[in-house]
């Protein structure tokens, strides 16, 4: 199951990266379900409200989410989200609280997260990541580690 992160949706809406656009257009949500966390919806709608044209930005969010299930955070996800947040803080490598919640939910559900923000999400042990700007396959542990090092 693929879970798309806010950074991926933003890339799709801005249409700046052809590779990301093509990967999104190639999705067959009937064959391979695609989801977005309700937390991603929160980030997208918050961003839309901050723009110069909130109604227009909201319409873009609605279009890009068409056909994608938005999944609520459930109590069963919380153990994973709490562990992610605590582990990263203990290591002195925290990511934002919303990103920790998204990562924990993905781990709890066994999702592969499609994100441009590998430097943050790559800090989360065991989280499978894809960056469509690089390709359609999950990133290797070595590629993730290199991206995390670049971001520090």
């Amino acid at each position: 199951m693929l879970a798309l992160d806010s950074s991926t949706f933003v890339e799709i809406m801005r249409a700046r990266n052809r590779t990301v656009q093509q990967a999104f257009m190639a999705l067959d949500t009937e064959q391979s379900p695609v989801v977005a966390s309700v937390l991603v919806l929160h980030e997208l709608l918050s961003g839309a409200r901050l723009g110069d044209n909130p109604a227009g930005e909201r319409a873009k969010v609605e279009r890009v989410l068409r056909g994608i299930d938005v999944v609520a955070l459930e109590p069963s996800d919380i153990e994973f989200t709490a562990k992610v947040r605590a582990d990263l803080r203990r290591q002195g490598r925290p990511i934002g609280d919303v990103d920790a919640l998204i990562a924990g939910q993905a781990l709890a559900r066994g999702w592969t997260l499609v994100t441009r923000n590998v430097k943050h999400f790559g800090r989360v042990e065991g989280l499978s990541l894809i960056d469509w700007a690089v390709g359609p396959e999950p990133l290797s542990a070595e590629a993730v580690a290199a991206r995390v090092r670049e971001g520090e």
Side-chain angles (χ1 to χ4, degrees):
M1 172 91 59
L2 295 181
L4 277 59
D5 177 46
S6 308
S7 62
T8 299
F9 283 117
V10 169
E11 283 291 325
I12 294 162
M13 289 185 294
R14 291 183 180 161
R16 292 187 305 207
N17 186 306
R18 188 170 203 205
T19 307
V20 173
Q21 291 289 109
Q22 290 172 335
F24 182 70
M25 298 304 287
L27 284 177
D28 182 352
T29 57
E30 304 229 350
Q31 291 290 334
S32 302
V34 177
V35 298
S37 173
V38 69
L39 300 158
V40 169
L41 176 60
H42 162 75
E43 289 182 322
L44 293 173
L45 292 178
S46 295
R49 287 182 172 272
L50 292 170
D52 293 335
N53 178 6
E57 294 300 314
R58 183 182 178 97
K60 288 180 188 177
V61 169
E62 290 171 359
R63 273 194 303 276
V64 78
L65 287 173
R66 193 170 296 130
I68 295 175
D69 289 328
V70 176
V71 180
L73 190 65
E74 299 289 337
S76 59
D77 300 321
I78 298 305
E79 190 67 38
F80 285 87
T81 64
K83 182 178 182 334
V84 165
R85 184 171 182 253
D87 287 352
L88 292 174
R89 291 191 92 171
R90 196 174 302 113
Q91 295 166 17
R93 302 173 66 202
I95 59 178
D97 288 343
V98 175
D99 283 351
L101 289 164
I102 291 168
Q105 184 180 29
L107 282 172
R109 309 280 181 115
W111 297 340
T112 295
L113 190 64
V114 181
T115 184
R116 295 280 295 135
N117 195 358
V118 175
K119 68 182 179 185
H120 277 171
F121 287 110
R123 298 177 192 172
V124 179
E125 188 176 331
L127 183 60
S128 178
L129 300 173
I130 294 174
D131 179 351
W132 279 342
V134 174
E137 299 299 320
L139 296 168
S140 69
E142 294 79 19
V144 170
R147 299 270 293 273
V148 170
R149 279 192 305 275
E150 287 173 12
E152 293 180 340

